[in-house]
Amino acid sequence: MHRMRLYQYSFILISLILEAMVSFAQQAPVTPYLPDHQTVLQSYINADKLDSAWKKLPIIYNIKPNWQSNNKQFWYSTRAKNNETTFYFVSAEKGLKHKAFNTKQMADAVSAALGTPVPATRLHIARMFFSEDEKQVTLKVSNNWLKCNLDSYHCQKTVDTLFKNYDPEGPLQARRYRWEGLVTDSVSPDKQWAAFVKGGNIYIRSLKGSAEVQFTNDGSLDKPYGEMTWAPDSKHIVAYRIDPKKTKEVYYILSSVPGTTRGELKSHEYDQPGDEFTSYEPFIFNIADKSKLKIDAEKLDFFGAPVLHWRDGSSRYFTYEKVDRGHQRFRVIEVDVQTGKTRNVIDEKTSTFIYEQRIYTRYLPKTHEIIWVTEKDGWRHAYLVNELTGAQKLITNGNWVVRDIDSVDVKRREIWFNASGKNAGEDPYFIHYYRIGFDGKNLVDLTPEKGNHNITFSPDRKYYVDTYSEVNIAPHIVLKNTVTLKTIAALEHSDMTDLLTTGIKLPEVFVAKARDSKTDIWGVIYRPANMSPDKSYPVIENIYAGPQDSFVPKNFSAINEMQSIAQLGFIVVQIDGMGTANRSKAFHDVCWHNLADAGFADRILWMQALAAKYPQADISRVGVYGTSAGGQNSAGALLFHPEFYKAAVSACGCHDNRIDKQWWNEQWMGYPVGPHYEQQSNITNAGKLKGNLLLIVGEADNNVPPESTYRFADALIKNNKFFDLLTVPGMGHSDGGVYGRTKKRDFFVKHLLNAEPPARNTDELTVMNKAE
């Protein structure tokens, strides 16, 4: 007992000493990394070499299983170290995996059959089918079908007889009737009648005769009737009196079109916040008595005419969905065809916003039920709604988020979905896959292993391939049984020895508290490969604070721009602050009427916590860059938080939310357009600029109008603020391409490292590189 206690005390003492040593090392004095010009040049060369080395490494991030017609076998391919492609054959039933064939021998056989060289490094097989005994394979290379013997490696040309009619996209869906097609027939389900619009009015004619009956006479080409839908029993038509509003245009000039001496003016339709929308007033038309009945509901003035869901076994009732403009009310509305009266089956209201793009409904007509996913209880969850009574019952529940519905099994009454935040002890953004009963019972985790998951099912859903990784852990790819959940075969997991030999510092996941001192804020850190523990390095944030999603990478990736920029002598970070999606509703609501916030309070606290733990992070020299909404955010950093951010590169930014696209900005900033739009505009606040700013814009941007950047530049000039501006002729919505990304790196080297970037017009880097 005495020895045991002595051992415990010794272990504790050693632990305390080691902890103190680590703490001392972390707190040891550091000096700012301020490289001279030659060191900077060497950093660029080293960064390029690392980029090149990383790209050559055959790290397997995912696979595409190509299932055979029996749903029991599949093949997939991976890139090997010598840049050849290796093909594998997997028997899910037997749990066996082996090389499908020797790639070099197959490439030679294909070359002989086609009469043209096909190197092993360029053997691209589009489709492939194995015989039952696996001794022959029919494959497609460069639009040629070949049948090959896997024993002799002899190939001969053939034709696709089994799969020539296979359409991977499935049958084309019939186009919905549009009012613009003024004389397009809409045939009744019983094939007795054809309804059509002529001169803006609705007509009916019998398919057994030629006589036309006019149902309306108050329509016109300016305000026509249209968007017709027949009742299942062919006794009624639902249609709308349409008040069209022309979408206004935005313009840009292509300045440098080859073969011209003048700029070309271009335009395209573009709805901006506050613009009028086409409205749809609903009516019911009775075929027997030729009557018209106005539905007891307001006009639809947002997102057009809805899809109608007819009650199973009845043509008397249908439902449709309505999202009110302003995104604060969502309804499923029932209509009685005989009376025109309406009833709200679902009526969700909020004081902030309902995320319209993530509203999910699945109608189950046989049981008169609706699967509905909503954030109304504070987290995004699935409900089962009784369509007849409106009664709602939670299916999923807890402080976690349903991310997406994979499928609904009506027979088994199960929902298959993915979610994040459910599995304790890991990153709350990690996606896992589940199934659960409609009654909220028997929740099954198909992917219990820690990591961010992505799965694909076999066509019959008996098997699935699960790929999971973390930002600093290479992907595991496994084959599993859907019923037992057992792993059938481990397919791929890349060895990272070669990667680590390059000297790369894998990214670190870092967590700090938000502005409320309670909520965890998650981010990642990228460091230079040659980072010195006694130096402090500028911090650069890659920012995108768009509320439509979360953006910090969760999957493993050895190569990305953040990793590359870090090699020049920076610590590069990315953070998801409050106001972004995929956490609680309260976390998300921070963005409401408040896009200028961009989670900066959380981001700054996160970086301060980073510097407290790692003195090598110099937060007296902080830069930020971003594109699109990130361009708005990065410029806003210098306007609203110049005490912290010192340099920014802003590409194709939405600098005023009144200039940008309607559907995105009204979703978060609300409708009608109020004073808060102007108050939060970068253009309005241009006079507050401090620090160094580079603006990048493509002159042909049709996502965020280029004038958003130009108006910001105009306001900066009028406020006597100095900045750099790069306009890229002919480029669309982009960070400037290779040229713009090079300018970005040079900009940060100059303003955060206080060093001169390469003199590129003198080929300084090329000369130095050759000298090595």
Side-chain angles (χ1 to χ4, degrees):
M1 182 65 71
H2 176 72
R3 288 182 179 176
M4 180 60 71
R5 286 180 179 172
L6 182 61
Y7 172 80
Q8 290 174 337
Y9 292 150
S10 299
F11 180 78
I12 292 171
L13 180 60
I14 292 171
S15 298
L16 290 172
I17 291 172
L18 289 174
E19 188 175 321
M21 290 173 64
V22 172
S23 178
F24 176 78
Q26 290 176 343
Q27 300 301 323
V30 294
T31 57
Y33 176 66
L34 295 168
D36 59 26
H37 185 59
Q38 286 301 111
T39 303
V40 165
L41 294 180
Q42 190 62 55
S43 294
Y44 275 89
I45 292 171
N46 292 343
D48 286 344
K49 288 180 177 178
L50 283 174
D51 276 350
S52 178
W54 294 336
K55 289 174 183 176
K56 292 177 182 178
L57 295 174
I59 296 173
I60 299 168
Y61 297 102
N62 52 59
I63 65 169
K64 178 186 176 183
N66 299 274
W67 289 90
Q68 301 294 284
S69 58
N70 61 13
N71 291 326
K72 298 176 182 179
Q73 301 160 325
F74 65 90
W75 65 270
Y76 70 93
S77 62
T78 63
R79 184 169 64 91
K81 192 171 183 177
N82 58 3
N83 208 34
E84 283 187 4
T85 300
T86 302
F87 297 85
Y88 292 99
F89 182 85
V90 179
S91 170
E93 192 175 44
K94 298 176 183 178
L96 298 176
K97 164 196 164 185
H98 59 79
K99 283 189 178 181
F101 43 74
N102 181 288
T103 303
K104 175 67 168 59
Q105 288 181 273
M106 180 59 74
D108 291 343
V110 169
S111 298
L114 296 181
T116 182
V118 179
T121 55
R122 295 188 179 181
L123 179 60
H124 302 302
I125 298 176
R127 301 180 68 195
M128 183 160 56
F129 305 98
F130 290 79
S131 62
E132 291 259 344
D133 59 9
E134 301 175 30
K135 292 184 178 181
Q136 284 192 334
V137 63
T138 303
L139 51 85
K140 185 178 182 181
V141 177
S142 301
N143 293 321
N144 294 289
W145 282 96
L146 302 170
K147 181 177 286 186
C148 303
N149 185 299
L150 295 180
D151 288 331
S152 64
Y153 282 93
H154 173 74
C155 295
Q156 61 186 35
K157 287 187 177 183
T158 186
V159 292
D160 176 18
T161 56
L162 292 176
F163 302 96
K164 62 182 179 180
N165 295 321
Y166 173 76
D167 179 7
E169 301 299 326
L172 292 175
Q173 297 297 316
R175 294 182 179 179
R176 294 188 61 218
Y177 177 84
R178 299 291 298 176
W179 67 267
E180 292 90 342
L182 296 176
V183 294
T184 302
D185 286 1
S186 177
V187 178
S188 62
D190 64 6
K191 311 300 182 187
Q192 298 297 308
W193 304 95
F196 57 97
V197 175
K198 183 169 64 174
N201 285 297
I202 292 178
Y203 289 75
I204 301 290
R205 65 179 175 84
S206 170
L207 292 179
K208 296 180 179 180
S210 58
E212 298 178 353
V213 178
Q214 185 171 352
F215 267 61
T216 66
N217 54 26
D218 57 341
S220 66
L221 293 179
D222 292 331
K223 291 187 177 182
Y225 285 89
E227 294 285 3
M228 298 181 294
T229 303
W230 283 92
D233 64 2
S234 303
K235 294 181 179 180
H236 294 87
I237 289 179
V238 179
Y240 302 85
R241 179 78 186 278
I242 302 169
D243 186 5
K245 301 296 181 186
K246 180 174 174 53
T247 301
K248 297 178 181 178
E249 296 183 326
V250 292
Y251 301 86
Y252 60 90
I253 295 176
L254 296 179
S255 64
S256 308
V257 178
T260 67
T261 58
R262 293 176 172 85
E264 291 187 3
L265 178 64
K266 298 290 184 180
S267 67
H268 59 98
E269 293 184 339
Y270 194 91
D271 286 312
Q272 292 180 329
D275 284 357
E276 281 189 296
F277 279 169
T278 295
S279 64
Y280 300 79
E281 187 176 14
F283 291 88
I284 298 168
F285 298 91
N286 187 306
I287 303 303
D289 62 15
K290 303 178 183 59
S291 63
K292 179 177 76 170
L293 178 65
K294 184 182 180 303
I295 294 176
D296 185 18
E298 61 263 53
K299 294 180 181 179
L300 295 107
D301 60 354
F302 196 47
F303 289 145
V307 175
L308 307 187
H309 301 272
W310 292 90
R311 184 177 295 177
D312 187 61
S314 169
S315 292
R316 179 171 177 176
Y317 298 98
F318 67 84
T319 58
Y320 67 93
E321 298 178 5
K322 186 177 190 303
V323 178
D324 285 9
R325 190 166 185 180
H327 300 278
Q328 293 184 294
R329 191 180 188 187
F330 167 71
R331 283 173 282 175
V332 173
I333 301 172
E334 179 190 82
V335 178
D336 184 336
V337 172
Q338 293 184 3
T339 66
K341 298 297 182 183
T342 60
R343 175 179 66 91
N344 294 328
V345 178
I346 294 174
D347 189 359
E348 182 183 10
K349 302 175 185 177
T350 178
S351 59
T352 55
F353 61 87
I354 296 169
Y355 190 175
E356 189 272 332
Q357 284 81 22
R358 288 195 180 177
I359 293 173
Y360 176 91
T361 51
R362 169 68 184 273
Y363 292 82
L364 311 175
K366 297 293 184 184
T367 56
H368 304 296
E369 293 170 310
I370 305 170
I371 304 292
W372 173 42
V373 179
T374 171
E375 290 183 295
K376 73 172 194 165
D377 79 335
W379 300 83
R380 191 167 189 258
H381 281 299
Y383 288 74
L384 185 66
V385 181
N386 185 311
E387 188 179 26
L388 303 180
T389 67
Q392 301 174 5
K393 181 181 179 181
L394 263 174
I395 299 174
T396 59
N397 188 25
N399 294 346
W400 48 278
V401 178
V402 172
R403 296 286 287 269
D404 194 17
I405 302 296
D406 174 79
S407 61
V408 176
D409 189 329
V410 178
K411 290 183 179 179
R412 295 179 179 270
R413 293 183 66 78
E414 288 180 336
I415 299 175
W416 297 58
F417 66 99
N418 61 55
S420 57
K422 174 92 176 76
N423 293 32
E426 60 178 70
D427 187 326
Y429 293 93
F430 281 171
I431 292 176
H432 289 265
Y433 287 73
Y434 308 86
R435 64 173 181 255
I436 192 172
F438 284 8
D439 58 3
K441 298 178 181 179
N442 301 317
L443 177 68
V444 175
D445 187 349
L446 282 72
T447 55
E449 298 84 358
K450 182 183 178 184
N452 196 45
H453 292 256
N454 181 54
I455 69 176
T456 59
F457 291 96
S458 61
D460 61 5
R461 298 183 75 87
K462 289 183 178 180
Y463 307 100
Y464 60 99
V465 174
D466 180 14
T467 302
Y468 62 98
S469 69
E470 299 179 44
V471 70
N472 47 18
I473 298 177
H476 291 267
I477 306 177
V478 297
L479 174 66
K480 288 190 174 186
N481 184 295
T482 304
V483 176
T484 67
L485 307 183
K486 290 182 178 180
T487 298
I488 298 171
L491 300 177
E492 299 292 341
H493 179 56
S494 294
D495 183 351
M496 291 203 293
T497 302
D498 289 345
L499 174 64
L500 296 175
T501 301
T502 66
I504 188 175
K505 283 183 170 57
L506 294 177
E508 177 188 348
V509 177
F510 189 75
V511 184
K513 294 301 179 184
R515 67 189 80 177
D516 62 3
S517 302
K518 298 177 182 178
T519 307
D520 284 339
I521 299 295
W522 290 71
V524 290
I525 312 164
Y526 294 85
R527 297 177 173 87
N530 61 349
M531 180 176 176
S532 172
D534 60 357
K535 297 289 185 183
S536 63
Y537 297 81
V539 176
I540 297 177
E541 181 185 1
N542 173 15
I543 191 171
Y544 191 98
Q548 74 269 23
D549 211 336
S550 52
F551 306 96
V552 172
K554 303 301 174 185
N555 293 325
F556 181 81
S557 174
I559 309 164
N560 61 40
E561 188 184 28
M562 290 183 284
Q563 185 73 265
S564 183
I565 291 175
Q567 307 317 312
L568 299 180
F570 302 105
I571 293 175
V572 184
V573 302
Q574 189 171 7
I575 309 154
D576 280 320
M578 284 188 168
T580 51
N582 302 324
R583 298 284 289 277
S584 69
K585 184 72 167 72
F587 189 102
H588 203 183
D589 277 348
V590 170
C591 74
W592 178 241
H593 284 198
N594 192 30
L595 286 184
D597 178 278
F600 280 124
D602 313 305
R603 299 170 187 277
I604 292 170
L605 286 170
W606 189 95
M607 283 183 269
Q608 288 172 340
L610 171 67
K613 183 174 182 180
Y614 301 114
Q616 293 80 15
D618 185 353
I619 57 172
S620 69
R621 296 183 287 166
V622 178
V624 58
Y625 70 92
T627 300
S628 194
Q632 176 185 15
N633 305 145
S634 54
L638 297 186
L639 303 178
F640 304 115
H641 299 278
E643 78 290 344
F644 190 79
Y645 294 95
K646 306 305 179 187
V649 178
S650 166
C652 57
C654 162
H655 296 290
D656 189 311
N657 296 104
R658 296 168 295 182
I659 296 174
D660 193 30
K661 62 195 77 64
Q662 175 279 327
W663 66 265
W664 194 89
N665 291 272
E666 284 188 14
Q667 171 71 77
W668 317 115
M669 292 292 279
Y671 175 84
V673 175
H676 61 290
Y677 274 81
E678 180 177 8
Q679 292 163 4
Q680 296 181 45
S681 164
N682 287 349
I683 297 170
T684 304
N685 291 281
K688 298 178 181 178
L689 177 68
K690 293 182 181 179
N692 298 289
L693 174 64
L694 167 61
L695 297 176
I696 299 174
V697 63
E699 69 174 7
D701 192 341
N702 57 19
N703 184 322
V704 177
E707 61 260 34
S708 183
T709 296
Y710 297 143
R711 287 169 183 256
F712 184 35
D714 179 58
L716 290 168
I717 292 169
K718 288 176 178 175
N719 281 278
N720 201 34
K721 297 294 180 179
F722 289 81
F723 62 99
D724 294 326
L725 173 63
L726 169 63
T727 298
V728 184
M731 182 162 280
H733 194 63
S734 167
D735 61 355
V738 174
Y739 188 87
R741 288 189 287 275
T742 301
K743 291 280 288 185
K744 173 169 59 184
R745 296 180 186 212
D746 291 355
F747 184 84
F748 284 134
V749 165
K750 179 177 182 179
H751 293 293
L752 295 180
L753 293 178
N754 296 325
E756 279 300 314
R760 298 187 179 278
N761 291 343
T762 63
D763 292 327
E764 186 177 32
L765 270 179
T766 304
V767 172
M768 185 173 175
N769 204 1
K770 286 181 178 179
E772 291 193 343

